[in-house]
Amino acid sequence: MIFLGPPGSGKGTQAVKLAKELGILHLSTGDLLRNAVKEGTDLGKQAKEYMEQGELVPDHLLVELIESKVNAGELSDGFILDGFPRTVPQAESLKEMFTKNGMTLEATVLLQVSDEEVVRRLSGRWFCPVCQRTYSYPSNMPKVDGVCDDDKTKLQRRPDDEESVVRNRLAVYKKQTQPIEDFYRKESVLVEVAGEKSPLAVFDDLLKVVL
Ligand code: AMP
């Protein structure tokens, strides 16, 4: 399965939950790239600047990353791809990888959220760098402002959640990623889910369309 949707649509949250429910792998290219940047690997060094500006990392780097996972057999028992593909060439490369490896795509889930909701959500998104718990101001705030409820660590924001970067990420989504909605519509695997309800209500809707 593939998860599509603008930044802040909740695709990470929903993909993690659904993967757990189905007992399959959740693979987020954003997480893989952030780890690569943190560890200072070659990939991380090449990706860092693009990520800081909210631009897409070049296609060949992402295609090689996913190809290495496919070749290592990591996707053989079912998976949700979260954040890949993000361009038509990435979607075409993925299709080739699937054909070559006898894999089938069951569904591409598109979470629909308006631009204003995206900006509102991401500008209130904080996380604990130790336990990764996430908070959203003002709907889901920690008991003490700026401090994780579980381990009292000081909360952080993703640098690319700053409003000007969010606006650029949205523009990039519209220009480079939205065209792949049609790519999957033509393949008859696109299912659309309204993403502006509560996370639980969205998850309920999601289960109805994918199970
Ligand atoms: P995300 O956590 O999915 O919002 O991704 C964070 C950032 O990682 C994006 O803004 C891009 O710079 C980069 N990124 C993640 N996935 C891809 C992809 N499939 N293609 C290009 N860049 C990506």
Side-chain angles (χ1 to χ4, degrees):
M1 230 179 270
I2 289 170
F3 266 53
L4 274 184
S9 57
K11 64 182 183 329
T13 308
Q14 299 294 338
V16 165
K17 251 181 119 169
L18 187 62
K20 216 170 171 183
E21 174 88 15
L22 300 176
I24 58 176
L25 179 76
H26 165 246
L27 203 64
S28 151
T29 46
D31 287 349
L32 291 173
L33 290 170
R34 275 184 289 280
N35 278 339
V37 169
K38 210 154 76 185
E39 286 165 12
T41 65
D42 272 356
L43 172 65
K45 283 184 198 140
Q46 293 178 81
K48 188 167 188 273
E49 228 170 275
Y50 295 101
M51 294 174 77
E52 281 170 356
Q53 287 162 19
E55 294 291 331
L56 293 185
V57 175
D59 284 339
H60 73 276
L61 293 174
L62 270 298
V63 170
E64 281 161 23
L65 179 68
I66 296 297
E67 212 161 21
S68 71
K69 304 272 171 202
V70 172
N71 291 341
E74 288 182 36
L75 307 191
S76 315
D77 296 328
F79 57 87
I80 295 181
L81 284 180
D82 162 11
F84 184 94
R86 254 176 157 106
T87 64
V88 171
Q90 288 181 16
E92 284 165 347
S93 300
L94 186 67
K95 192 175 170 182
E96 273 173 36
M97 280 182 239
F98 282 1
T99 310
K100 213 165 104 191
N101 292 277
M103 296 157 81
T104 40
L105 181 63
E106 285 200 3
T108 296
V109 174
L110 170 62
L111 283 174
Q112 299 276 23
V113 174
S114 71
D115 292 2
E116 283 326 300
E117 177 67 7
V118 163
V119 174
R120 198 188 61 71
R121 283 185 185 179
L122 296 188
S123 54
R125 179 161 85 171
W126 291 79
F127 72 97
C128 170
V130 173
C131 70
Q132 307 302 321
R133 180 165 169 181
T134 55
Y135 297 87
S136 13
Y137 285 62
S139 59
N140 169 29
M141 292 167 57
K143 292 193 185 87
V144 179
D145 185 23
V147 178
C148 179
D149 288 349
D150 293 338
D151 51 31
K152 313 296 172 224
T153 306
K154 196 165 179 282
L155 299 181
Q156 288 183 5
R157 289 185 68 190
R158 268 173 56 171
D160 60 352
D161 277 350
E162 202 252 308
E163 184 166 339
S164 62
V165 184
V166 167
R167 298 250 175 224
N168 190 40
R169 285 163 66 201
L170 261 174
V172 165
Y173 181 83
K174 287 199 175 132
K175 190 156 170 251
Q176 294 178 266
T177 306
Q178 222 156 29
I180 66 180
E181 293 173 10
D182 269 343
F183 179 95
Y184 288 116
R185 227 172 246 126
K186 283 191 197 125
E187 307 245 314
S188 309
V189 285
L190 194 77
V191 290
E192 300 185 40
V193 175
E196 293 204 14
K197 301 178 190 170
S198 71
L200 267 180
V202 173
F203 191 63
D204 272 354
D205 290 348
L206 189 56
L207 288 179
K208 281 180 208 139
V209 294
V210 299
L211 290 186

